[in-house]
């Protein structure tokens, strides 16, 4: 019975995060700023690449936007690296709508200052 409960809970969690990823452009294809080419950051709103980590600034801004991709959220630079959330997620003109194809690929992580070891990210507490 406990296994069934755990499995059900796990499915609910996974579907919840999957739902959030579909609410931002390229939500399933955000590059891992610590990984190699092709590595994906699965939980974009979290400070770790798992749902166990705290919420990062992009996650807070996404929550403030009622978990919706808005022009305000798109034009924000949540991680302070000088690149807007829209530019990092492949929607530089902030035109993306749910279920549509983004203008381009995700080129960065909107919640983690990149490049991680650069001078402009020296104030960030994030470490790979
Ligand atoms: Ca940024």
């Amino acid at each position: 019975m406990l296994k069934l409960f755990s499995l059900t809970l796990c499915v609910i969690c996974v579907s919840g995060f999957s739902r959030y990823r579909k609410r931002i452009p390229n939500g399933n294809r955000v590059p891992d700023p610590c990984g190699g080419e092709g590595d994906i950051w699965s939980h974009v709103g979290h400070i770790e690449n798992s749902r166990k980590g705290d919420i990062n600034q992009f996650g807070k801004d996404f929550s403030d936007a009622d978990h919706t991709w808005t022009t305000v959220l798109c034009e924000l630079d949540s991680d302070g690296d000088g690149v807007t959330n829209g530019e990092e997620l492949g929607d530089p003109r902030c035109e993306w709508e749910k279920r549509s194809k983004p203008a381009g690929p995700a080129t960065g992580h909107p919640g983690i200052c990149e490049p991680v070891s650069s001078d402009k990210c020296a104030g960030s507490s994030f470490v790979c």
Side-chain angles (χ1 to χ4, degrees), residues 77 79 81 83 88:
D77 175 14
D79 54 19
D81 61 7
V83 185
E88 297 200 80

Side-chain angles (χ1 to χ4, degrees), residues 99-118:
R99 296 188 188 92
S100 69
K101 184 178 177 185
T107 57
H109 191 301
I112 297 173
C113 184
E114 299 167 278
V116 174
S117 59
S118 67

Side-chain angles (χ1 to χ4, degrees), residues 45-63:
H46 290 257
I47 210 156
E48 293 177 30
N49 196 7
S50 72
R51 62 183 173 83
K52 290 185 281 185
D54 289 340
I55 304 295
N56 61 34
Q57 188 58 51
F58 176 76
K60 293 174 185 171
D61 293 339
F62 181 58
S63 178

